Amino acid sequence: MRKLEHFELKKDYAVFCPVGEVSFDEMAAMISRAVMVCRKQKIEKLLIDSTRLSGFDLPEVSERFNLAERVARDAASLVKIAHVASPEWVRFGKFGVIVAKNRGLDAEIFQSVSAALEWLLQPVEKKTSPTNRRDRI
């Protein structure tokens, strides 16, 4: 597998900032690959900046749903993701974020890198296992 372009390791996280004219499906595949690299290398935090991508229309609801579901599956609840996107994309609301969160992904969308990093670099909350029902009886 060739090196993932525009992917950079920082001290406590990774950054994926792809550039170019691509289709929506190509963008989704690139994001998916970056998430998988993080998961395989045990990188717990990923900043995705898609603001330098062009070539596709704003995604339809079904496309946002499928992308969010795919990224959540790829992350397997092991990668926290902050996505910096164009104002038009963010204005769509947080439908994709809600879909991803419902599938166990800790994710958020932002219009600026600074806001995304502030959120991303907050300490990860340790998930506690649910209390065994028999313990309550």
Side-chain angles (χ1 to χ4, degrees):
M1 180 183 282
R2 65 181 173 79
K3 181 181 174 188
L4 182 61
E5 292 185 63
H6 310 290
F7 184 89
E8 182 181 356
L9 291 176
K10 300 288 188 175
K11 182 178 181 240
D12 296 320
Y13 62 101
V15 177
F16 181 56
C17 188
V19 177
E21 190 169 314
V22 298
S23 69
F24 180 81
D25 289 340
E26 289 169 324
M27 182 212 54
M30 288 189 296
I31 289 174
S32 178
R33 186 162 173 223
V35 171
M36 292 296 292
V37 167
C38 286
R39 191 176 106 196
K40 288 179 181 177
Q41 294 184 13
K42 299 187 184 335
I43 300 165
E44 296 179 352
K45 297 177 181 180
L46 173 62
L47 173 69
I48 298 170
D49 183 346
S50 64
T51 59
R52 291 190 255 173
L53 290 176
S54 62
F56 55 90
D57 293 326
L58 292 174
E60 298 291 328
V61 172
S62 62
E63 292 171 312
R64 289 184 284 148
F65 178 88
N66 291 336
L67 176 60
E69 203 169 52
R70 177 180 183 174
V71 171
R73 181 181 60 245
D74 292 343
S77 299
L78 299 172
V79 182
K80 179 180 180 180
I81 299 172
H83 182 188
V84 180
S86 68
E88 296 81 21
W89 186 300
V90 176
R91 255 184 262 140
F92 258 137
K94 298 198 177 198
F95 174 74
V97 171
I98 292 168
V99 170
K101 285 184 178 191
N102 285 342
R103 282 146 183 81
L105 180 64
D106 191 5
E108 197 57 67
I109 192 165
F110 301 91
Q111 291 186 39
S112 75
V113 170
S114 59
L117 276 175
E118 181 180 333
W119 177 82
L120 184 67
L121 296 178
Q122 293 174 358
V124 176
E125 292 182 26
K126 297 293 180 190
K127 295 180 182 177
T128 57
S129 60
T131 305
N132 188 326
R133 291 186 67 144
R134 286 185 277 175
D135 291 345
R136 290 190 241 152
I137 299 176

